């Protein structure tokens, strides 16, 4: 065993400044999460409860096993948009009858649970996670269908949700739907395309068109129960497999369905049955990352607080030392780690990463990427040494690696470094962000400076004087814009990650994800693309 040492001094001024800055970001995160949990406001929550109905998180709490964790995904979706934070749907991973399931629950207190562009994106991401990780999916349905004012943005891509349900079923991944209220129009196809369907007497209403639209389209006069009530679907149409007496009975039946799946994980169990906790306090993670992203920090200090026993066997420690690579265990599962140490990636770091990724695939070991990078090094010397082909070597390895990848952005994730360190475009199984982290093409000052240089060159080419006052105003505006659009909450609101997490929860979140990915097989790549040497 190689136990990591720590040089963290919790009384140091730099540590205290870093901690204060991160706590400020956590306060902003808590405010956003409070907005998501509030649903459609006290008025609509009170009205919903008055009807004897449960809120989505209350339904989830009854569905999952007692005292088991629930990993909520994309909780601040739609942050910074015209739609409520949370996007009128709750998604996450919870344990039901001992089985890890992907759970999707509409929030009917937000515009009747109508599907807007962000809730569509959030639901689709949930489907991707279920398919990639072989997780049974449970839908807790109560939705008024499409948000009509934005139908142009959701109607055509929205069909993928139903397609994805059938693909889960075809892959042998069960789907269960419990209908708590309306499931109208496109929403009717969620139970329609699920393997197991539960409806609630006198509550569930599932139809392609409600009574008013039926009258307008055909002239027929009908009522909700005859057209799409739970009893009708249980006894006449056959759409409902089970008829529940009330919401709690419906959730009981959903648990019963999962219990009867005879579900088995296909990945290996943890190598260490009783893993040791890290030797250092995870509370100290708040003061390790630099408040100023230009100031690097040692990622080994993070690893010492998330890996089992703070045990880490480093790979090529003296070569390409701006990237830390090595082996450890997390909650008993073997993992390989790639973590940025000094931000910039050089040729040596890229080549080291490619070899390490190949080794992880050869041993069927999942990979954890801890991002804090400004990108690949630029300049004449580095171009002549082949930084492009070496960066491409690393990106090739990441792209074609088939062991599960888990990514956490600890600080900066700029430029092609985001790609080489398995950013969202490279489809890690899960990607989480710390509240202080940022991601963009480049830093705000650098981007504004590039635009300034281009504008100066354009003015000189036309033989015109350059307006310095306008240049200063432009740079300030651009820096402010990029600063706001590269922040963790902004990016999470657009689902460029699976959630912003408290650094102190990193070990727990990664542990839940590792357990999840082992629901399916864990197997390395048989080959990679052509490596340009």
């Amino acid at each position: 065993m190689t136990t990591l040492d720590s040089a963290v001094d919790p009384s140091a001024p730099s540590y205290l400044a870093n901690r204060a800055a991160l706590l400020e970001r956590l306060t902003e995160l808590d405010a956003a999460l409070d907005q998501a949990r509030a649903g459609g406001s006290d008025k609509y929550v009170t009205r919903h409860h008055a009807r004897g109905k449960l809120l989505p998180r209350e339904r989830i709490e009854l569905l999952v096993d007692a005292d088991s964790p629930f990993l909520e995904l994309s909780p601040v979706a739609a942050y910074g948009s015209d739609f409520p934070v949370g996007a009128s749907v709750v998604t996450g991973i919870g344990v039901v009858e001992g089985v890890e399931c992907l759970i999707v629950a509409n929030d009917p207190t937000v515009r009747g649970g109508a599907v807007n562009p962000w809730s569509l994106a959030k639901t689709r991401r949930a489907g991707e996670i279920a398919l990639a990780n072989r997780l049974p999916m449970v839908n807790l349905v109560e939705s008024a269908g499409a948000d009509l004012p934005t139908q142009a943005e959701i109607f055509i891509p929205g069909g993928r949700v139903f397609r994805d349900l059938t693909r889960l079923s075809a892959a042998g991944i069960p789907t269960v739907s419990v209908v708590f209220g309306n499931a109208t129009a496109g929403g009717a196809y969620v139970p329609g395309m699920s393997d197991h369907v539960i409806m609630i007497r006198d509550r569930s209403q599932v139809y392609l068109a409600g009574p008013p639209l039926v009258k307008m389209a055909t002239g027929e006069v009908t009522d909700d129960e005859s057209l799409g009530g739970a009893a009708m679907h249980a006894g006449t149409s056959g759409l409902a497999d089970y008829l529940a007496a009330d919401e709690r009975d419906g959730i009981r039946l959903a648990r019963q369905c999962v219990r009867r799946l005879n579900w088995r994980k296909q990945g290996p169990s943890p190598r260490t049955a009783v893993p040791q906790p890290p030797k250092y306090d995870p509370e100290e993670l708040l003061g390790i990352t630099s408040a100023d992203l230009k100031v690097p920090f040692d990622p080994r200090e993070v690893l010492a607080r998330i890996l089992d026993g703070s045990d880490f066997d480093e790979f090529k420690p003296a070569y390409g030392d701006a990237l830390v690579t090595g082996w450890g265990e997390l909650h008993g599962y073997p993992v390989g780690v790639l973590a940025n140490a000094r931000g910039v990636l050089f040729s040596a770091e890229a080549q080291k990463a490619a070899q390490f990724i190949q080794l992880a695939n050869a041993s069927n070991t999942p990979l954890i990427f801890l991002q804090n990078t400004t990108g690949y090094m630029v300049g004449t010397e580095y171009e002549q040494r082949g930084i492009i082909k070496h960066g491409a070597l690393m990106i090739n390895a990441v792209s074609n690696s088939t062991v599960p990848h888990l990514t956490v952005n600890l600080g900066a994730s700029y430029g092609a470094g985001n790609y080489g360190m398995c950013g969202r475009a490279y489809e890690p199984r899960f990607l989480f962000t710390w509240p202080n982290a940022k991601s963009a093409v480049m830093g705000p000052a650098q981007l504004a400076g590039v635009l300034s240089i281009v504008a100066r060159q354009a003015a000189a080419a036309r033989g015109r004087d350059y307006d310095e006052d306008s240049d200063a105003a432009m740079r300030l505006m651009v820096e402010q814009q990029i600063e706001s659009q590269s922040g963790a909450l902004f990016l999470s609101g657009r689902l460029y990650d699976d959630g912003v997490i408290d650094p102190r929860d990193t070990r727990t979140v990664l542990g839940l994800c590792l357990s999840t990915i082992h629901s399916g097989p864990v197997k390395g790549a048989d080959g990679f693309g052509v490596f340009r040497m």
Side-chain angles (χ1 to χ4, degrees):
M1 291 179 61
T2 307
T3 303
L4 290 165
D5 293 324
S6 177
V8 168
D9 178 4
S11 64
S14 59
Y15 175 93
L16 295 173
N18 293 341
R19 178 182 171 84
L22 198 40
L23 286 173
E24 187 176 345
R25 300 287 82 78
L26 282 170
T27 299
E28 295 171 357
L29 172 62
D30 288 341
L33 293 174
D34 286 343
Q35 290 181 53
R37 297 181 188 118
S41 77
D42 289 343
K43 171 185 175 182
Y44 294 103
V45 168
T46 300
R47 187 169 73 181
H48 190 72
H49 276 150
R51 293 171 174 168
K53 301 171 78 68
L54 298 168
L55 297 173
R57 288 178 178 81
E58 292 170 340
R59 291 167 178 167
I60 291 171
E61 187 174 0
L62 290 173
L63 176 68
V64 300
D65 294 351
D67 299 323
S68 67
F70 177 69
L71 178 60
E72 187 168 349
L73 301 169
S74 310
V76 298
Y79 179 90
S81 75
D82 294 332
F83 294 92
V85 177
S88 73
V89 64
V90 180
T91 64
I93 297 168
V95 179
V96 181
E97 293 289 342
V99 177
E100 286 155 325
C101 296
L102 196 294
I103 301 168
V104 178
N106 300 116
D107 188 347
T109 71
V110 183
R111 303 185 187 184
V115 177
N116 61 57
W118 297 112
S119 46
L120 173 60
K122 184 171 176 176
T123 302
R124 287 211 59 221
R125 174 59 184 154
E128 291 172 356
I129 290 171
L131 182 61
N133 297 288
R134 195 173 166 269
L135 296 178
M137 177 179 274
V138 181
N139 279 285
L140 307 181
V141 184
E142 186 168 7
S143 172
D147 179 69
L148 295 180
T150 56
Q151 66 85 29
E153 298 178 56
I154 60 177
F155 167 58
I156 292 175
R160 295 174 182 169
V161 171
F162 315 131
R163 179 204 67 180
D164 292 348
L165 279 170
T166 65
R167 287 185 173 179
L168 285 169
S169 182
I173 302 171
T175 55
V176 179
S177 284
V178 187
V179 184
F180 292 92
N182 285 330
T184 308
Y189 286 113
V190 174
M193 296 187 178
S194 295
D195 297 344
H196 305 270
V197 178
I198 300 157
M199 295 188 190
I200 299 168
R201 186 183 298 276
D202 300 325
R203 292 286 189 179
S204 306
Q205 296 175 1
V206 181
Y207 35 59
L208 298 181
L213 184 53
V214 168
K215 183 176 181 180
M216 290 296 297
T218 69
E220 178 187 359
V221 177
T222 186
D223 59 82
D224 287 329
E225 184 58 36
S226 300
L227 188 64
M232 185 281 289
H233 281 304
T236 304
S237 80
L239 177 60
D241 302 316
Y242 304 94
L243 184 61
D246 54 28
E247 290 202 6
R248 285 173 171 77
D249 190 40
I251 294 170
R252 177 190 66 80
L253 288 168
R255 289 178 54 82
Q256 174 182 295
C257 285
V258 175
R259 184 170 67 250
R260 299 300 185 186
L261 293 177
N262 192 30
W263 194 248
R264 297 289 186 272
K265 287 192 171 194
Q266 294 183 352
S269 300
R271 183 163 60 190
T272 303
V274 185
Q276 294 182 351
K279 295 186 180 298
Y280 302 97
D281 189 352
E283 182 73 24
E284 294 172 347
L285 289 170
L286 294 180
I288 290 173
T289 56
S290 305
D292 181 354
L293 294 184
K294 299 184 185 70
V295 178
F297 62 89
D298 188 348
R300 297 173 188 83
E301 296 287 5
V302 176
L303 295 174
R305 289 158 179 81
I306 64 174
L307 292 178
D308 294 353
S310 303
D311 177 23
F312 183 63
D313 295 329
E314 193 163 346
F315 173 76
K316 284 188 185 293
Y319 182 79
D321 61 0
L323 181 71
V324 174
T325 55
W327 312 101
E329 290 189 7
L330 204 157
H331 281 282
Y333 290 102
V335 294
V337 177
L338 298 93
N340 300 115
R342 292 199 308 276
V344 179
L345 291 163
F346 298 87
S347 290
E349 282 74 13
Q351 293 173 88
K352 172 179 171 177
Q355 181 187 355
F356 185 73
I357 291 168
Q358 285 183 299
L359 291 172
N361 277 264
S363 61
N364 302 320
T365 304
L367 288 169
I368 296 175
F369 294 79
L370 300 182
Q371 296 181 338
N372 183 32
T373 177
T374 54
Y376 293 96
M377 190 62 188
V378 298
T380 304
E381 176 186 353
Y382 302 101
E383 294 288 3
Q384 292 178 356
R385 289 183 180 180
I387 189 63
I388 292 176
K389 65 180 184 181
H390 294 140
L393 183 78
M394 179 177 177
I395 292 173
N396 183 332
V398 171
S399 302
N400 292 291
S401 167
T402 59
V403 294
H405 296 174
L406 305 177
T407 301
V408 185
N409 184 1
L410 309 182
S413 185
Y414 291 134
N418 173 274
Y419 305 156
M421 290 297 292
C422 200
R424 179 59 116 194
Y426 289 78
E427 299 182 344
R429 295 291 184 92
F430 295 93
L431 192 159
F432 295 95
T433 304
W434 283 10
N436 58 301
K438 296 183 182 297
S439 185
V441 173
M442 61 185 75
Q446 289 80 8
L447 194 150
V450 169
L451 292 178
S452 175
I453 291 170
V454 171
R456 286 176 186 277
Q457 292 174 341
R462 297 189 189 100
R464 297 176 181 174
D465 293 333
Y466 192 64
D467 188 333
E468 297 292 345
D469 291 338
S470 295
D471 179 79
M474 180 275 292
R475 293 180 67 142
L476 178 62
M477 179 191 70
V478 170
E479 287 190 34
Q480 290 175 340
Q481 177 185 351
I482 300 305
E483 186 71 25
S484 66
Q485 293 181 352
S486 61
L489 282 175
F490 179 91
L491 295 173
S492 194
R494 280 149 184 76
L495 282 91
Y496 289 141
D497 63 25
D498 295 310
V500 182
I501 62 172
D502 187 320
R504 295 166 291 190
D505 295 332
T506 304
R507 173 176 163 82
T508 299
V509 169
L510 289 176
L512 291 170
C513 291
L514 283 166
S515 179
T516 294
I517 64 178
H518 284 81
S519 292
V522 176
K523 187 178 185 305
D526 295 323
F528 292 81
V530 173
F531 285 140
R532 297 186 63 88
M533 309 305 283

